[in-house]
Amino acid sequence: MTKTYQDFPGVEWVEGSGRHISVAPERCDGCGNCVRVCLAKCFKISSKKAVVDNLDMCMECGACWYVCAPEAILFSWPPGGTGFRTRWG
Amino acid sequence: MGEDYDVVVVGAGFGGPVAAHKCASAGLKTLVLERSITPGDKVVSGLVIPFYGFLFAPPFIRDGNPPLQKPIRKVVNHFVKNGEIYASDKSLWLPPPLALTYSAYCEPMCVWLADRAVEAGAELRTSTAVMDLIMEQDRVKGVVTDKGDEIRAKVVIDAAGTQDGLALKAGLRRKLPPDALELYMLWDFEMAKEDVDSTFGNSVEFYCAMPDEKITAPLGYGSTFYIFTYRESIHPGLGQFLVTEGKIPHVARLLEEYFENFTNTVSRWKNDIAPKLKLRAKMFDVCPIYAGLDRRIREMPIYGEGMLIIGDAAAMESSAFGDGVPNAWFSGAIAGDVAVEAVKAGDASASFLRRYDERVKAHSVISASLSDTRRWDMRWALPGNDEREMRRRAHELFGRGVWRYRHITGQVLREMKTVLSRDPMVAGKWMKMFNRYNRNCESGYSDPPSSYEPAPKAGIYSEGREAVIA
Ligand SMILES: Cc1cc2nc3c(=O)[nH]c(=O)nc-3n(C[C@H](O)[C@H](O)[C@H](O)COP(=O)(O)OP(=O)(O)OC[C@H]3O[C@@H](n4cnc5c(N)ncnc54)[C@H](O)[C@@H]3O)c2cc1C
Ligand code: SF4
Ligand code: SF4
C-alpha cells in the first residue's frame, strides 16, 4: 500500500515502515525541540513529554534525533522498501 | 544466511556506487545494499553538481552520459529590500561550453551510477536495509539486514549518508551536533523549457536579504533563498540551521514562513516566475553543511577495523556551497582503491586501512571544501544590519570573488594543473565532456536506465489530507 499527502506532493510513502522512531519517556525532558524541527508534524507534547503522534509523513531526515539532547529519541531505519520515496529530490 | 563477499557497500546514493565500481572493476566480489526500492529515491538534495566533481571523479562519470538537466554558467545574487531587488551581483560566470555546475535529479543520477557499478560486476540488492554490523573482537566482519540475513565481508564500506547509524554502532563516530546541520525545504515546479530559458537562461539565483525581510534564515545561519534551474522545471529551496544564534528555533514554522513571505512579497517571483509554474513536489532533508568547520566532527574517525566511511556518512559536505556529491565521489573512489589493496593484502585491519584517512586528508579539494568559511562568514553582516558587508560577502561566496579565494578555487585550479601535467591528453577528454554534457542537457539524452521501478511521476492526492493511491 502506498500513500500520498497533500502537504507533500510528489512524495509517496510505502506502508510497512512500522515505528522506526520512538520516544523513551523516562529520558524526555519535554523541551519540545523535536516538535520545533519536525516539518512532518510527527510529534506532540502530552503531559510534558513528547510522544510520536504519527509517522505518516516522516521523511527520515533525523532532525528530531539530532536536536534531542537527552537522547530520548530512538531513531532507526524503516525496513527496506518502505517509508518515503520521491523522484524529485 | 551465511553469504560471503570481499566488499559490502551500504548505500547506493552518490558515493556507494563509485566505491563499488572500483571494487568490482578490480575483480572483487562486491555487494551493494540499498534500503530504498530504487537507488536515489530516498536521496533528497539540491541538486547542482559542480564541474570539478566530474573532472576529478573516476573517468566513467566524465566519459559517460549521466542524466543531467542543465549546464549552469552564471550565478545571480539578488539583494532584496521590501520585496524589490535593489541590486544584483552577476559577476560569476563561465562561457560555453564550460559550466560552473550541472543540475540533476537524485533518483535518475543514483540509478545511473548504480547501473555502472552493476555493469562492472557488482551485485545490487535494493529494498534491503542494513540494521546492524557483525562484530567480532571489535572488528567489523559484515552486516545484518532487516530480513535477518548475515552477510560477511572482508571490508564494509559505509556509504549510508547523513543519517548513518552504522559508524555509531561500530563505535567509530557519534551523532552529529545540531549546530552543524541545516534543515532544508525544497520545492519542484514544472516550467516550460522556453520559460526557463527566457526567465533564467543558464543561471541559478540566490536571494540575499537582511533578517527583518523574513524571506530567508539570518545570513550565515542558513542558505539564502535559491532557485536552481532544470531543463523543464525549477527547484527552489531554503534552509536554516537546527541551532541559530545558540538556540533551537521553531525551524519547521520558520521555513514555511520564509517561503510564504518570499512568494507573497518578492515581485520578481510574483510577476516573472510564479505565473509560469505548476507545483510538482515538496520535500525536506537535513544536510551537515558546517560539519567540516567543527573540530569535534573532524576528529571523528572515518575508518576502523574492517570498515571505511565515505561521503555524508563521514560528514564530507562542502561548507561553503553545500555540495557533497564531489566529495562523496572522491572519497568513494579512494575507499574503493583502499578496499582493493586490503583484500589483495589479506589485511583489513585499522592499521592497514589508515591509508584511506591519509589519502582523504591529502586530497586537496576535499580538504579545501571542508574548511571553507565563506558561508559561515555571511553572519558578520548581521551586527549593524550591514548591507554593504552582506554584498561584499556574497561577492566572495557566489560572485567573482571565488576566483581570488585561496581555498577551494585555488585548489581546484592547482589540481587541474597536476592532473594535466601527469597526462596532457586529459584536457581533450574534459573538453569532450563539456560538449557532450551540453548536447545531452539540450536534448534530454542520457544512457538508458536498467529496468527499475521509478517513484510516481507526481503526487496524486484527493481533496482530503490523504488518499490511498495504490
Ligand atoms: C537539501 C540538500 C541540498 C543539497 N544540495 C547539494 C548540491 O546542490 N550539490 C551537491 O553536490 N550536493 C548537495 N547536497 C549534498 C549531497 O546530496 C550529498 O552530499 C550526497 O548525496 C552524499 O552522497 P552519499 O553517497 O554520501 O550519501 P547519499 O547520497 O545520501 O546516499 C546514502 C544512501 O544510503 C542509503 N542507506 C542509508 N542507510 C542505509 C541502510 N542502513 N541500509 C541500506 N541503505 C541505506 C540511503 O537510502 C541512500 O540511498 C545536498 C544535500 C541536501 C540535504
Ligand atoms: S527533543 Fe527529546 S527531550 Fe525534547 S521533547 Fe523531544 S523527545 Fe523530549
Ligand atoms: S525524522 Fe524528520 S520527519 Fe521523521 S519524525 Fe524526525 S524530524 Fe520528523
Side-chain angles (χ1 to χ4, degrees):
Chain A
M1 280 272 259
T2 309
K3 285 185 172 180
T4 61
Y5 298 92
Q6 218 163 16
D7 292 14
F8 295 102
V11 184
E12 68 169 13
W13 280 263
V14 180
E15 276 196 330
S17 73
R19 300 195 72 75
H20 54 285
I21 293 169
S22 56
V23 179
E26 68 283 5
R27 268 183 261 161
C28 171
D29 62 14
C31 68
N33 286 346
C34 51
V35 178
R36 284 197 285 275
V37 300
C38 181
L39 280 157
K41 303 184 181 75
C42 293
F43 298 92
K44 63 178 182 202
I45 301 280
S46 154
S47 320
K48 296 190 176 156
K49 302 270 181 196
V51 288
V52 176
D53 187 25
N54 66 79
L55 295 174
D56 291 354
M57 299 187 290
C58 172
M59 268 189 238
E60 302 151 31
C61 72
C64 52
W65 178 55
Y66 292 116
V67 295
C68 180
E71 306 286 348
I73 291 195
L74 310 172
F75 179 82
S76 176
W77 308 277
T82 72
F84 91 101
R85 65 191 302 236
T86 179
R87 69 183 335 190
W88 308 116
Chain B
M1 286 294 237
E3 297 173 275
D4 247 310
Y5 285 84
D6 290 323
V7 176
V8 165
V9 178
V10 182
F14 280 94
V18 171
H21 185 274
K22 281 268 185 189
C23 296
S25 302
L28 302 195
K29 194 176 171 204
T30 308
L31 174 66
V32 185
L33 298 172
E34 168 54 55
R35 69 192 184 96
S36 58
I37 295 174
T38 302
D41 65 12
K42 282 186 188 285
V43 184
V44 170
S45 184
L47 173 78
V48 291
I49 308 176
F51 75 95
Y52 62 82
F54 298 91
L55 297 192
F56 308 139
F60 79 88
I61 301 178
R62 176 195 69 200
D63 298 338
N65 298 287
L68 301 173
Q69 287 277 329
K70 200 175 178 66
I72 306 301
R73 305 210 172 89
K74 191 194 275 183
V75 178
V76 176
N77 298 281
H78 290 307
F79 302 101
V80 178
K81 208 192 286 182
N82 301 323
E84 297 304 325
I85 295 169
Y86 67 93
S88 300
D89 184 332
K90 305 179 181 178
S91 59
L92 179 57
W93 58 275
L94 283 176
L98 304 180
L100 294 162
T101 190
Y102 294 90
S103 54
Y105 287 106
C106 294
E107 190 202 62
M109 271 303 288
C110 294
V111 166
W112 185 84
L113 291 162
D115 279 352
R116 304 288 83 74
V118 169
E119 244 169 38
E123 187 187 328
L124 169 68
R125 233 175 267 174
T126 51
S127 296
T128 308
V130 172
M131 301 309 281
D132 212 345
L133 296 166
I134 305 173
M135 300 289 293
E136 286 169 11
Q137 285 119 33
D138 289 335
R139 284 163 185 265
V140 176
K141 291 288 186 184
V143 298
V144 185
T145 71
D146 54 343
K147 292 155 188 91
D149 294 334
E150 294 194 0
I151 303 171
R152 298 183 72 85
K154 297 181 180 116
V155 180
V156 170
I157 298 181
D158 178 359
T162 302
Q163 294 83 356
D164 170 48
L166 295 175
L168 277 64
K169 286 190 195 277
L172 292 171
R173 298 178 68 83
R174 279 167 291 115
K175 190 171 87 170
L176 297 174
D179 35 345
L181 303 171
E182 182 166 0
L183 180 58
Y184 275 92
M185 189 93 141
L186 307 141
W187 290 259
D188 188 74
F189 291 93
E190 290 175 78
M191 189 177 193
K193 186 172 182 305
E194 315 81 81
D195 288 336
V196 180
D197 290 342
S198 64
T199 314
F200 299 99
N202 286 76
S203 61
V204 291
E205 298 191 350
F206 291 87
Y207 291 77
C208 300
M210 281 299 165
D212 48 3
E213 206 72 17
K214 293 196 170 53
I215 57 167
T216 62
L219 295 164
Y221 292 101
S223 72
T224 52
F225 192 102
Y226 64 83
I227 300 175
F228 289 167
T229 52
Y230 289 43
R231 190 183 313 110
E232 295 166 292
S233 53
I234 65 164
H235 217 71
L238 50 83
Q240 174 144 356
F241 279 81
L242 294 177
V243 180
T244 300
E245 294 175 319
K247 288 199 281 291
I248 296 178
H250 204 305
V251 190
R253 191 186 297 145
L254 286 171
L255 292 180
E256 300 278 10
E257 270 174 27
Y258 298 146
F259 186 71
E260 211 178 295
N261 292 342
F262 184 91
T263 51
N264 286 334
T265 59
V266 175
S267 51
R268 171 159 167 79
W269 176 272
K270 285 193 297 184
N271 304 330
D272 305 345
I273 302 173
K276 303 166 188 161
L277 301 180
K278 193 168 149 227
L279 178 63
R280 182 159 62 183
K282 181 177 168 189
M283 304 144 284
F284 60 89
D285 200 5
V286 160
C287 191
I289 303 268
Y290 289 157
L293 304 179
D294 189 322
R295 201 165 52 93
R296 292 167 297 178
I297 303 176
R298 275 204 318 274
E299 285 171 356
M300 294 181 199
I302 58 170
Y303 71 103
E305 301 283 348
M307 188 169 187
L308 299 168
I309 309 166
I310 70 164
D312 276 6
M316 289 188 203
E317 205 71 46
S318 125
S319 38
F321 302 134
D323 44 303
V325 169
N327 287 349
W329 285 349
F330 304 156
S331 61
I334 299 171
D337 285 339
V338 170
V340 171
E341 291 162 28
V343 171
K344 287 203 173 133
D347 184 357
S349 66
S351 59
F352 189 94
L353 298 181
R354 181 185 304 132
R355 60 182 70 185
Y356 168 64
D357 184 60
E358 288 162 3
R359 287 182 211 172
V360 166
K361 291 203 170 111
H363 194 293
S364 59
V365 178
I366 297 180
S367 302
S369 71
L370 291 179
S371 57
D372 191 328
T373 61
R374 280 174 296 160
R375 203 168 131 189
W376 168 280
D377 289 341
M378 289 288 286
R379 67 187 58 187
W380 303 126
L382 291 177
N385 251 11
D386 192 337
E387 277 172 25
R388 279 188 49 196
E389 184 71 0
M390 168 176 80
R391 287 169 61 179
R392 192 176 75 77
R393 299 275 176 188
H395 184 73
E396 292 291 300
L397 179 59
F398 289 130
R400 207 168 41 226
V402 303
W403 301 122
R404 286 193 282 111
Y405 193 68
R406 68 198 154 83
H407 266 65
I408 183 78
T409 331
Q411 294 303 340
V412 166
L413 296 175
R414 195 163 312 157
E415 184 68 17
M416 287 173 74
K417 260 194 220 154
T418 312
V419 173
L420 288 173
S421 66
R422 250 187 273 134
D423 177 9
M425 302 297 281
V426 171
K429 293 180 182 160
W430 285 347
M431 284 317 289
K432 267 197 190 140
M433 177 198 87
F434 283 119
N435 283 312
R436 180 166 13 85
Y437 283 5
N438 274 348
R439 283 197 306 274
N440 288 351
C441 286
E442 194 53 38
S443 65
Y445 178 78
S446 62
D447 296 316
S450 61
S451 67
Y452 72 102
E453 194 192 321
K457 244 182 140 43
I460 308 158
Y461 44 84
S462 70
E463 286 306 302
R465 177 162 168 266
E466 107 181 30
V468 175
I469 58 162

